[in-house]
Amino acid sequence: MKKICLALFLSGCILLAGCQKTKPEIMPAENLATEQTPSLMSVTPMAESPKQTTRNMDDKEAIEAVVSEYFSLRHKLRSIITDSPFDTQSETLLQLLSCCHGDDFLNETLITCQMLYEQMQAVGQAREMDFSYASYSTRNKYNSIDVNTPYAVVNVLDEIKFCLAADPEVESTAGDTHILQLEKIDGIWKITDDQCDLAGYYSQRYEAYRSKCPYEEIDRINEYIIEKFRSEVKMGLDSAQNLP
């Protein structure tokens, strides 16, 4: 039963946000750190995604390179969840943001990454289980790449096979189809939007909180979103613990 519950839990929470549709079941949190909420303005993304500069590539090759880097870094962030606070200046996060473009998309990517990180961290603490990956491998299957320079639209299946540190003998598989919008900026392809067909919970919560936020400053908006999310997740965990 433990292994079945573990697989069901991950099928809803495995992929990061930047996605737009169905709302999985909430996995709330408690004992969350109260570190300073990250600000988009405090983050300085690297200038370009490294895979695009290794050699001259045509547009489709360059697009596949940045998309592969984008998903790889998202999974890497998910794999290194610890008891430490979310690090807005970590090399992995900065590399992920370097694949993206546009203030709104950069900010949403940053905050939804923190939301997932803190949720997994807190659920692990509450259940005394390690939800980081013991091992994992990824694959991207491209359904279509439509290029109309300087823009492109990519339909891609992002798939991952993983074993949790909490149960390293059990391998699970998860995946989601994403619709990515890209723009070529100064000769480099950047992702400007990410919609997916299933795992859009964090993005949905981000948009819901932001739509109700009374502030206009980005720092205040981000603080408001994170605090609302922490409260909601903690309430869910408390309710789950009180079930007979």
Side-chain angles (χ1 to χ4, degrees):
M1 177 62 71
K2 172 186 173 185
K3 295 181 179 179
I4 294 174
C5 291
L6 217 49
L8 289 174
F9 170 76
L10 269 201
S11 67
C13 297
I14 187 68
L15 294 179
L16 290 174
C19 314
Q20 300 297 329
K21 284 192 180 176
T22 308
K23 174 181 177 181
E25 180 183 358
I26 183 171
M27 297 300 297
E30 65 179 5
N31 299 326
L32 284 167
T34 57
E35 74 280 2
Q36 183 178 0
T37 304
S39 164
L40 173 65
M41 305 309 294
S42 69
V43 176
T44 308
M46 297 179 183
E48 58 191 26
S49 180
K51 289 190 176 182
Q52 294 187 62
T53 61
T54 55
R55 66 178 180 85
N56 291 328
M57 294 182 283
D58 64 27
D59 281 332
K60 287 193 175 182
E61 286 181 307
I63 288 169
E64 288 186 8
V66 73
V67 169
S68 175
E69 183 84 346
Y70 173 75
F71 286 122
S72 175
L73 291 164
R74 281 189 169 277
H75 292 306
K76 185 177 179 180
L77 278 173
R78 171 64 181 83
S79 75
I80 56 177
I81 292 171
T82 67
D83 290 335
S84 300
F86 182 78
D87 184 1
T88 63
Q89 297 296 327
S90 72
E91 181 180 359
T92 301
L93 180 63
L94 295 180
Q95 287 177 338
L96 172 62
L97 294 177
S98 77
C99 298
C100 307
H101 177 74
D103 288 348
D104 288 343
F105 186 55
L106 280 165
N107 197 60
E108 181 177 336
T109 301
L110 172 69
I111 300 305
T112 52
C113 281
Q114 182 181 10
M115 291 163 71
L116 181 141
Y117 185 97
E118 292 196 4
Q119 183 169 332
M120 296 296 103
Q121 180 191 70
V123 171
Q125 291 172 354
R127 300 186 179 183
E128 298 183 347
M129 298 175 68
D130 187 349
F131 284 107
S132 64
Y133 295 144
S135 60
Y136 70 97
S137 61
T138 63
R139 182 185 69 160
N140 300 134
K141 179 181 178 182
Y142 292 89
N143 300 314
S144 64
I145 300 177
D146 298 321
V147 182
N148 185 15
T149 307
Y151 302 103
V153 179
V154 177
N155 183 311
V156 56
L157 171 65
D158 175 46
E159 186 176 70
I160 181 169
K161 294 183 178 180
F162 60 92
C163 297
L164 286 181
D167 203 346
E169 296 181 359
V170 176
E171 182 179 79
S172 301
T173 300
D176 232 337
T177 299
H178 294 248
I179 307 296
L180 303 176
Q181 306 282 340
L182 295 94
E183 183 176 354
K184 196 172 189 179
I185 301 167
D186 296 330
I188 303 295
W189 284 100
K190 302 282 186 176
I191 298 168
T192 59
D193 190 39
D194 179 358
Q195 300 183 20
C196 68
D197 62 358
L198 182 62
Y201 169 67
Y202 299 97
S203 181
Q204 288 176 351
R205 301 317 301 149
Y206 174 89
E207 294 295 343
Y209 296 139
R210 183 159 187 171
S211 68
K212 297 177 182 178
C213 181
Y215 308 114
E216 295 183 359
E217 302 86 353
I218 193 65
D219 289 353
R220 299 288 300 277
I221 291 171
N222 289 348
E223 181 179 358
Y224 176 88
I225 290 171
I226 291 298
E227 289 305 319
K228 286 291 185 181
F229 180 73
R230 286 173 175 160
S231 297
E232 179 179 326
V233 179
K234 184 179 184 303
M235 286 176 58
L237 244 187
D238 290 344
S239 298
Q241 290 175 339
N242 292 329
L243 290 176

